[in-house]
Amino acid sequence: MELKFVPLNAVHEKLGAKMVSFAGFNMPVRYSSDIEEHMTVRNGVGVFDVSHMGEFTVKGPNALDLIQRVTSNDASKLVDGQAQYSCLPNETGGIVDDFTIYKIKDNDYLLVVNASNIEKDWNLISKYNTNRAEMKNISDETCLFAVQGPKAVGVLQKLTKIDLPAVKYYHFAIGQFAGVDNVLMCKMGYTGAGGFEVYVNKAFAEKVWNAIFEAGKDENIKPIGLGARDTLRLEMGFCLYGNDIDDTTSPLEGGLSWITKFTKEFTNSPNLKAQKEAGVKRKLVGFKMIDKGIPRHDYQIKDVAGNVIGKVTSGTQSPMLSIGIGLGYVTSEHAAVGSEIFIEVRGKALKAVVSKTPFV
């Protein structure tokens, strides 16, 4: 597959970023060090260029019907200017993608999907678009900057007249930002550190990027790469598609029952409802290492007797806690908070404990 480039690729290379292939895109993994960038976001303000993400508009009188048909959450509850976390179930019990729905106004929605799943999601939604809602893929013309950290709102407020502190969590405003019209600013993020995600047409991307850094220079604002994005999301216990959830994991197994609403019919809802009533046999849990060691993707999880009871889906050394943390699937009888489990790291069974998320 041919490598794709975000519009500001040259900017990241000029900043000295280490670039890697991620979800088919040439992306900055780090500019300095993962730990330095992680702590910048936790304590100050940093900017992620996540313009590789996919964006679809869905409009017209049949837009909501289509969204309700293909998504697990109940989008009818959305008000104008509100966003909603949801997922696209497949016909066999797994998850095609997890994504965010934005209600601009009645009959006008924006769907933001994972970069690796753009084509897959588009094909699935199109398959169910029998009533011809107006769909458009605007991924190539849209840039997304996640400005995250406790100082993010103060920095961004310098660039807009919209009262950003008044915007509620998972709500957004559209207006002028950094002298550019029609910018969408949503109070959310993948870090748990506070901040906004800013959507702008690629024609104005570099102007907006530069304005954000100028506004944040007194706060020592920094660009942040995918390395810190991963450790930040893992400290919050947020799922990464392809690691913690995928085409083989049901939303109920993956701890996403809160976005799986059986008040409506959607793809595979009868089978998922039956699974909920019967109870799942495995669950995605968070865990902290007791013994010293770093859990990694696909490491085996065992019980005290040495029986394999699951596997690690995401793991890292937490910069905030200075211990190993992770997510993984275990059999339901081992999923209770406080359960003792063992992670096999380089042939050794290291003790860990099932823990509530977020970890910090």
Side-chain angles (χ1 to χ4, degrees):
M1 188 171 68
E2 189 177 346
L3 193 64
K4 298 178 183 177
F5 297 89
V6 296
L8 298 191
N9 183 78
V11 171
H12 303 306
E13 290 181 341
K14 191 174 180 181
L15 288 168
K18 180 183 179 183
M19 308 297 287
V20 298
S21 175
F22 179 81
F25 286 81
N26 194 46
M27 295 292 291
V29 68
R30 69 185 58 86
Y31 300 82
S32 55
S33 77
D34 292 346
I35 291 179
E36 180 185 328
E37 291 175 20
H38 184 109
M39 301 309 284
T40 292
V41 173
R42 282 278 178 254
N43 300 319
V45 55
V47 187
F48 304 81
D49 182 354
V50 282
S51 300
H52 62 316
M53 298 290 280
E55 293 87 13
F56 309 150
T57 59
V58 184
K59 299 181 180 181
N62 295 313
L64 180 59
D65 287 340
L66 173 60
I67 290 167
Q68 290 288 73
R69 180 71 188 87
V70 298
T71 66
S72 64
N73 210 336
D74 188 355
S76 72
K77 303 293 186 185
L78 289 170
V79 298
D80 295 0
Q82 185 180 11
Q84 181 185 75
Y85 181 57
S86 191
C87 77
L88 292 169
N90 63 23
E91 287 98 343
T92 55
I95 300 170
V96 177
D97 202 6
D98 65 326
F99 71 113
T100 308
I101 304 165
Y102 297 75
K103 184 181 181 184
I104 311 298
K105 58 186 178 183
D106 284 347
N107 305 325
D108 190 351
Y109 296 84
L110 174 70
L111 311 185
V112 179
V113 305
N114 284 301
S116 57
N117 294 333
I118 293 172
E119 184 178 358
K120 183 173 71 165
D121 292 358
W122 178 267
N123 291 341
L124 178 113
I125 298 169
S126 298
K127 175 182 172 181
Y128 288 101
N129 189 19
T130 53
N131 291 325
R132 297 191 175 183
E134 301 164 30
M135 289 174 58
K136 186 178 180 184
N137 183 352
I138 60 167
S139 304
D140 290 344
E141 58 202 68
T142 306
C143 284
L144 170 55
F145 304 136
V147 187
Q148 299 285 291
K151 297 180 180 178
V153 176
V155 168
L156 296 175
Q157 189 61 75
K158 298 176 185 179
L159 299 172
T160 183
K161 292 180 180 177
I162 293 168
D163 185 0
L164 296 181
V167 178
K168 297 176 185 176
Y169 186 56
Y170 259 74
H171 286 70
F172 61 91
I174 299 174
Q176 192 174 82
F177 178 84
V180 177
D181 292 330
N182 203 38
V183 175
L184 189 154
M185 297 155 268
C186 188
K187 183 174 279 186
M188 65 165 62
Y190 198 41
T191 66
F196 275 75
E197 295 191 341
V198 179
Y199 294 84
V200 60
N201 185 282
K202 72 175 183 180
F204 305 103
E206 189 163 0
K207 177 182 179 179
V208 168
W209 173 272
N210 290 337
I212 291 169
F213 278 89
E214 181 63 26
K217 62 182 181 182
D218 291 341
E219 304 294 352
N220 200 26
I221 194 170
K222 292 177 181 174
I224 312 294
L226 293 176
R229 184 170 165 85
D230 195 53
T231 54
L232 286 157
R233 69 94 188 170
L234 196 42
E235 285 187 341
M236 298 307 295
F238 294 155
C239 291
L240 174 65
Y241 191 86
N243 278 42
D244 312 303
I245 52 176
D246 60 30
D247 289 293
T248 69
T249 58
S250 91
L252 305 179
E253 293 173 332
L256 299 178
S257 58
W258 61 282
I259 63 165
T260 308
K261 304 293 173 62
F262 297 110
T263 52
K264 56 159 196 165
E265 289 283 322
F266 59 86
T267 310
N268 204 43
S269 57
N271 290 330
L272 289 172
K273 190 174 183 179
Q275 185 184 61
K276 182 179 182 179
E277 290 166 355
V280 295
K281 295 179 180 178
R282 62 173 183 164
K283 291 182 180 178
L284 183 68
V285 299
F287 63 87
K288 294 178 181 177
M289 299 300 298
I290 302 298
D291 292 338
K292 192 173 182 180
I294 303 175
R296 298 296 185 192
H297 179 69
D298 274 347
Y299 282 9
Q300 288 186 338
I301 303 177
K302 297 183 175 182
D303 64 14
V304 67
N307 301 306
V308 177
I309 57 170
K311 70 173 185 176
V312 177
T313 54
S314 291
T316 193
Q317 177 83 355
S318 164
M320 294 293 285
L321 302 177
S322 297
I323 59 170
I325 59 171
L327 300 174
Y329 284 91
V330 297
T331 52
S332 295
E333 56 266 32
H334 295 92
V337 171
S339 297
E340 186 178 85
I341 57 175
F342 294 83
I343 313 299
E344 186 164 301
V345 181
R346 294 175 185 167
K348 292 183 178 179
L350 303 182
K351 188 184 291 185
V353 62
V354 175
S355 304
K356 284 184 178 179
T357 57
F359 296 108
V360 300

